[in-house]
């Protein structure tokens, strides 16, 4: 996760953007000492990039969305299960356990796709932006 934060800072320095990581990084499951994502609408009108990590904090995927809540809905079921964990849609080699949100200037949302492509190139996630396993 530190590598992603550094890559975002590098991107900002190169392209003059203002992307920042929202803290804390949210857990999708109950993990001791970690703050769980309470709602898919935590950032309802905010666009940007979100990154999924597995339980070992290895990067799984990088996505961009005009609205982060809607972007999450395309990957998570709408409600938490009985154990209060989020259910991830689809088949993953290792289920996402954390989500990191990155937001920038909401008047320049077109920049989010460029950041997503940059992070995919720099961080080499397991899945590409289309959900296909690449490593």
């Amino acid at each position: 996760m530190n590598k992603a934060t550094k890559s975002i800072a590098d991107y900002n320095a190169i392209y003059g953007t203002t992307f920042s990581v929202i803290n804390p990084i949210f857990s999708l499951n109950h993990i001791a000492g970690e703050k769980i994502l309470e709602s898919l609408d935590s950032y309802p009108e905010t666009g940007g990039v979100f990154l999924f990590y597995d339980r070992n904090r290895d990067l799984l995927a990088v996505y961009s969305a005009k609205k982060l809540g809607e972007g999450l809905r395309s990957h998570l079921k709408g409600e938490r299960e009985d154990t209060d964990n989020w259910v991830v849609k689809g088949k993953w080699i290792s289920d996402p356990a954390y989500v990191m949100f990155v937001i920038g200037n909401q008047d320049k949302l077109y920049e989010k796709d460029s950041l997503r492509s940059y992070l995919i190139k720099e961080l080499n996630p397991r899945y590409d932006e289309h959900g296909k396993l690449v490593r």
Side-chain angles (χ1 to χ4, degrees):
M1 293 180 193
N2 291 334
K3 189 173 179 185
T5 302
K6 182 184 179 326
S7 293
I8 292 162
D10 291 347
Y11 183 88
N12 285 335
I14 293 167
Y15 297 104
T17 56
T18 58
F19 287 102
S20 60
V21 175
I22 299 295
N23 284 308
I25 309 306
F26 292 102
S27 170
L28 299 173
N29 306 303
H30 279 286
I31 299 172
E34 303 287 349
K35 178 153 178 60
I36 194 162
L37 180 68
E38 293 295 331
S39 167
L40 294 182
D41 291 322
S42 297
Y43 305 99
E45 299 300 319
T46 304
V49 174
F50 60 97
L51 298 83
F52 280 143
Y53 289 86
D54 68 12
R55 194 172 277 277
N56 296 322
R57 296 181 182 239
D58 291 328
L59 181 62
L60 294 173
V62 179
Y63 298 106
S64 62
K66 288 182 183 178
K67 296 181 179 180
L68 293 172
E70 289 177 14
L72 281 174
R73 268 191 189 77
S74 66
H75 299 286
L76 302 176
K77 294 197 176 180
E79 296 181 21
R80 290 187 275 180
E81 60 185 13
D82 292 342
T83 60
D84 224 17
N85 294 330
W86 290 99
V87 177
V88 181
K89 295 178 183 175
K91 292 188 177 185
W92 296 75
I93 287 221
S94 180
D95 281 339
Y98 297 97
V99 62
M100 172 191 282
F101 294 110
V102 181
I103 61 168
N105 184 335
Q106 295 302 291
D107 294 329
K108 297 181 180 178
L109 272 180
Y110 56 85
E111 294 175 336
K112 70 184 173 16
D113 297 324
S114 178
L115 175 62
R116 179 199 66 223
S117 296
Y118 178 84
L119 292 175
I120 288 171
K121 180 181 170 205
E122 291 295 310
L123 303 176
N124 192 28
R126 286 190 179 185
Y127 294 87
D128 68 11
E129 65 266 31
H130 306 293
K132 295 188 177 166
L133 188 63
V134 293
R135 68 171 177 93

